Amino acid sequence: MDKYGLIGYPLGHSFSVSYFNQKFKDEDIDAVYENFEIPSIDLLAEVLDSNPELKGLNVTIPYKQKVMPFLDNITPEARAIGAVNVIKVIHEGKKTKLKGYNSDVIGFTQSIEPMLERFHKKALILGTGGASKAIDYGLKSLGLETVFVSRYERPDTIQYKSITPDIIEEYNVIVNCTPVGMFPKTENCPPLPYEAMNNRTILYDLIYNPDETLFMKRGAEHGANVKNGLEMLLLQAFASWEFWHDKEK
């Protein structure tokens, strides 16, 4: 039986486990998907050694960047983003080779593209973590200019306190790549001038639990078009399966 899994820490609730095990059951695929909660990326070798039937892994926080030195091959796109969230495990005799991909870009661009109109030219990316790099890559591939937003003073970013209603009008696509507003702390949202938003504003939240974050709710109250990260997650899962069964090694 083939095995697939997810590495990360901690792994409280995992969409991937339920999604893939249901897929295997529905499509009569002789495979299983497991969580591998490892407190250090150095334990990846142990996971591989003790699960010789592994064919593929998904990677989540905090290892999307830390896993890269352990890989034999990384796609140009994943390297440009600087983060890997899908690994194909290739068995060649007694050798095991690992190839890294990034499915965040595919999932995100396919999900947000139908929302975009010709007047959506500039985007704010909230957060500077691993996911934000893929979002930046995806938005640029769709022709948008991007600016990162952070709580701290950093090069090439603006701080939340500097975001004015005029900036909201100009940068009318806003993507939340932070965990602010995620269950159980659902009463929080990024500090933005929501009153400056209107029906030309897109708020896209990578969070999917809860279905409607306070970020989305406050924007929608002023007419913004909002979407959560569930569709992106589904599209990422499709992409993972394609990568694991990619004939190229």
Side-chain angles (χ1 to χ4, degrees):
M1 182 188 287
D2 289 345
K3 190 182 278 189
Y4 301 86
L6 174 70
I7 58 167
Y9 189 84
L11 295 177
H13 73 285
S14 165
F15 165 86
S16 303
V17 167
S18 50
Y19 170 81
F20 280 110
N21 283 321
Q22 191 62 48
K23 176 185 172 71
F24 298 154
K25 189 179 169 187
D26 292 347
E27 299 181 25
D28 209 18
I29 297 167
D30 189 24
V32 66
Y33 191 104
E34 290 180 13
N35 275 351
F36 299 103
E37 191 173 61
I38 51 174
S40 165
I41 192 61
D42 296 325
L43 295 170
L44 175 61
E46 200 176 294
V47 170
L48 294 165
D49 290 344
S50 51
N51 296 277
E53 64 278 43
L54 259 178
K55 292 288 192 292
L57 289 166
N58 289 116
V59 185
T60 190
I61 295 167
Y63 301 134
K64 289 185 181 189
Q65 289 156 296
K66 291 177 184 172
V67 77
M68 294 176 78
F70 293 81
L71 307 178
D72 300 287
N73 193 355
I74 298 171
T75 63
E77 187 173 69
R79 197 174 287 286
I81 294 159
V84 161
N85 70 333
V86 182
I87 298 170
K88 182 179 181 182
V89 183
I90 303 154
H91 301 281
E92 294 178 344
K94 289 185 178 178
K95 279 189 176 177
T96 300
K97 287 191 174 175
L98 305 176
K99 183 172 182 179
Y101 303 80
N102 190 299
S103 65
D104 283 335
V105 175
I106 296 169
F108 173 68
T109 52
Q110 289 181 354
S111 181
I112 199 170
E113 193 169 18
M115 301 177 77
L116 297 172
E117 305 278 357
R118 67 183 187 283
F119 49 78
H120 293 122
K121 294 184 167 67
K122 296 183 179 182
L124 295 177
I125 300 170
L126 311 183
T128 55
S132 68
K133 294 176 175 62
I135 299 311
D136 180 48
Y137 189 96
L139 287 167
K140 283 176 176 166
S141 76
L142 293 170
L144 277 76
E145 282 181 45
T146 60
V147 171
F148 288 99
V149 182
S150 173
R151 285 176 296 168
Y152 311 105
E153 204 167 314
R154 289 189 168 132
D156 305 319
T157 66
I158 60 172
Q159 289 176 277
Y160 285 98
K161 63 184 182 186
S162 304
I163 297 177
T164 61
D166 286 347
I167 288 175
I168 293 291
E169 200 174 323
E170 187 182 355
Y171 289 81
N172 53 6
V173 177
I174 305 171
V175 184
N176 180 33
C177 302
T178 77
V180 175
M182 187 161 69
F183 182 85
K185 296 182 179 176
T186 57
E187 71 287 353
N188 297 335
C189 66
L192 298 169
Y194 291 90
E195 68 281 358
M197 298 175 184
N198 55 38
N199 61 4
R200 294 165 71 92
T201 312
I202 291 174
L203 296 191
Y204 192 107
D205 203 329
L206 266 54
I207 294 169
Y208 55 92
N209 183 17
D211 289 339
E212 185 185 49
T213 57
L214 189 56
F215 166 73
M216 293 164 62
K217 189 178 181 183
R218 289 191 64 185
E221 283 168 358
H222 295 281
N225 297 298
V226 301
K227 195 171 201 176
N228 71 17
L230 187 60
E231 185 186 47
M232 173 179 166
L233 210 61
L234 279 167
L235 292 164
Q236 281 176 281
F238 298 158
S240 296
W241 189 250
E242 295 294 316
F243 289 148
W244 291 332
H245 295 86
D246 177 12
K247 295 292 179 275
E248 285 183 34
K249 288 193 176 175

